């Protein structure tokens, strides 16, 4: 059994209708639940349109639950894009194989330059990102990148093409701690319209990726949807259902959620569903009440003003100083970005903001000794 079996039992349209039908009484009942007792039906109420009238108590409760579990801390990280080569055709992505853009794969010397640049920003946690090109940017390439990063970084995450279980086990031995894999949308019909060619067009294989990660014993798995591809409320419920399934099935693993909203890119795609700032606040708080343990991450896609205010409501990690193009820090700053960032402040500036608000800045996910991969250069 995998989450594919769970999703196959859910109707997209029935779920959407059920969310829209939630009442003020349903929201009040959900808000009254003690920690750990919120059901998926309660979650539907918290993301329903009627719950927007309850944003203030929802936000206050979310903040309290976050501080109770995580304290006044914010983890910081930065992505390093290793490649923009991709074998998929996806209608919304700047790296799509049919976009006529210069392609680049960083070599070892260039990876080291980018790692040194991110380390100089104060970071001790790095996220490797690539386009999905398993033949050219596969396990041997990634293993070498992890080997280089482990010389100076305590924790390494990646967001690349889905792999089989054996592939993840190999990369864990090379120092991988965490994997982010987003389903983009849980609506099969919509998914097929956006993912036209390549391995990513296989809906079930992608959906089963977190199961393969769980069986491999990955320490942390990131889930999520790309908001703008379909109805955000229905996709969010599917993510919540996926999270609950994973927490129950692979209970030794930690989990994180992210909230990417479609931003401008090379191409002509425009979002079919708009998630407003108010909607995103509602969703962040609903996820926190659903799970006190899940880590919630916000990237530099969002504006400085929004991040400065909303991080207090449930967010536990922030990216900063991000470059979303291969070699973007020092090697090739002019290469095409996957998407445009909104918060262009340096990590030091974001850290100053956080400290001014009474938060402690944590520059790594966990110490390298936790993975048995002590940093050579530390």
């Amino acid at each position: 059994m995998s989450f594919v079996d769970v999703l196959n039992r859910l109707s997209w349209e029935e779920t959407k209708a059920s969310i829209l039908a939630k009442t003020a009484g349903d929201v009040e009942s959900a808000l009254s639940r003690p920690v750990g007792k919120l059901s998926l039906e309660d979650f539907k109420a918290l993301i329903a349109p009627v719950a927007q009238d309850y944003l203030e108590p929802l936000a206050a409760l979310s903040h309290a639950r976050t501080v109770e579990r995580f304290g006044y801390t914010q983890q910081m990280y930065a992505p390093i894009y290793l490649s923009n080569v991709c074998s998929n055709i996806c209608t919304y992505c700047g790296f799509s194989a049919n976009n006529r853009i210069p392609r680049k794969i960083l070599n070892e010397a260039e990876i080291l330059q980018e790692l040194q640049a991110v380390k100089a920003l104060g970071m001790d946690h790095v996220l490797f990102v690539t386009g999905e090109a398993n033949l050219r940017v596969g396990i041997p390439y990634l293993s070498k990148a992890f080997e280089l990063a482990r010389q100076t970084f305590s924790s390494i995450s990646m967001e690349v093409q889905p792999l089989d279980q054996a592939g993840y086990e190999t990369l864990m031995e090379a120092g991988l701690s965490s994997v982010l894999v987003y389903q983009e949308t849980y609506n099969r019909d919509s998914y097929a319209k956006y993912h036209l060619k390549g391995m990513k067009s296989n809906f079930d294989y992608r959906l089963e990726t977190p199961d393969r990660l769980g069986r491999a014993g990955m320490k942390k798995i990131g889930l999520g949807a790309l908001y703008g591809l379909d109805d955000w409320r229905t996709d969010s419920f599917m993510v919540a259902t996926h999270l609950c399934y994973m927490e129950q099935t692979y209970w030794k693993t930690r989990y994180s959620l992210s909230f990417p909203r479609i931003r401008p890119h090379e191409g002509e795609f425009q979002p079919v569903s708009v998630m407003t700032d108010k909607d995103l606040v509602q969703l962040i708080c609903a996820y926190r009440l659903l799970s006190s343990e899940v880590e919630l991450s916000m990237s530099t896609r969002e504006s400085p003003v929004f991040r400065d205010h909303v991080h207090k409501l449930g967010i536990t990690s922030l990216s900063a100083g991000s470059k979303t193009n291969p070699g973007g820090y020092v090697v090739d700053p002019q290469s095409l970005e996957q998407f445009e960032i909104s918060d262009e402040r340096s990590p030091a500036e974001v850290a100053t903001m956080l400290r001014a608000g009474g938060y402690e800045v944590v520059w790594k996910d966990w110490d390298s000794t936790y993975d048995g991969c002590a940093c050579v250069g530390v």
Side-chain angles (χ1 to χ4, degrees), residues 82-100:
L82 299 176
S83 168
N84 63 3
V85 173
C86 192
S87 59
N88 299 315
I89 295 181
C90 305
T91 61
Y92 54 84
C93 184
F95 288 176
S96 181
N98 61 331
N99 284 343
R100 295 183 178 181

Side-chain angles (χ1 to χ4, degrees), residues 89 105 124 201 246 289 296 319:
I89 295 181
I105 300 174
D124 200 18
S201 63
M246 293 296 296
L289 268 60
L296 303 180
S319 60

Side-chain angles (χ1 to χ4, degrees), residues 144-195:
K144 186 60 182 180
F146 296 148
E147 178 186 328
L148 296 173
R150 276 299 188 186
Q151 296 176 20
T152 51
F153 284 86
S154 292
S155 45
I156 307 170
S157 303
M158 77 174 188
E159 183 181 348
V160 305
Q161 67 271 9
L163 304 172
D164 60 26
Q165 182 177 334
Y168 287 125
E169 290 168 350
T170 296
L171 293 179
M172 288 169 65
E173 293 176 0
L176 177 62
S177 307
S178 172
V179 173
L180 313 182
V181 55
Y182 305 128
Q183 189 61 25
E184 315 299 17
T185 178
Y186 286 75
N187 185 329
R188 285 181 179 273
D189 294 336
S190 295
Y191 188 96
K193 291 190 299 183
Y194 297 127
H195 305 96

Side-chain angles (χ1 to χ4, degrees), residues 304-367:
V305 172
F306 187 76
R307 297 206 323 157
D308 288 359
H309 289 85
V310 175
H311 82 84
K312 304 172 186 177
L313 303 183
I315 298 299
T316 58
S317 66
L318 295 167
S319 60
S322 302
K323 305 297 181 185
T324 66
N325 48 322
Y329 293 98
V330 291
V331 172
D332 190 6
Q334 301 306 312
S335 63
L336 181 73
E337 297 179 319
Q338 186 182 30
F339 58 86
E340 296 178 10
I341 64 172
S342 183
D343 188 348
E344 297 183 347
R345 291 175 297 179
S346 69
E349 290 173 313
V350 175
T352 297
M353 175 274 294
L354 292 170
R355 294 187 182 109
Y359 280 77
E360 178 184 355
V361 179
V362 181
W363 296 96
K364 60 186 175 184
D365 196 349
W366 46 57
D367 192 82

Side-chain angles (χ1 to χ4, degrees), residues 27-28 31 46 51-64 285 289:
V27 177
E28 292 168 6
L31 290 172
L46 294 182
Q52 296 218 332
D53 293 334
Y54 293 83
L55 272 188
E56 189 171 338
L58 179 59
L61 192 54
S62 177
H63 169 74
C285 297
L289 268 60

Side-chain angles (χ1 to χ4, degrees), residues 20 62 74 99 105 110 125 132-133 149 162 171 222 259-260 337 357 371:
L20 296 178
S62 177
Q74 283 290 344
N99 284 343
I105 300 174
E110 292 170 331
H125 176 198
E132 299 195 6
L171 293 179
F259 310 90
E337 297 179 319
D371 293 324

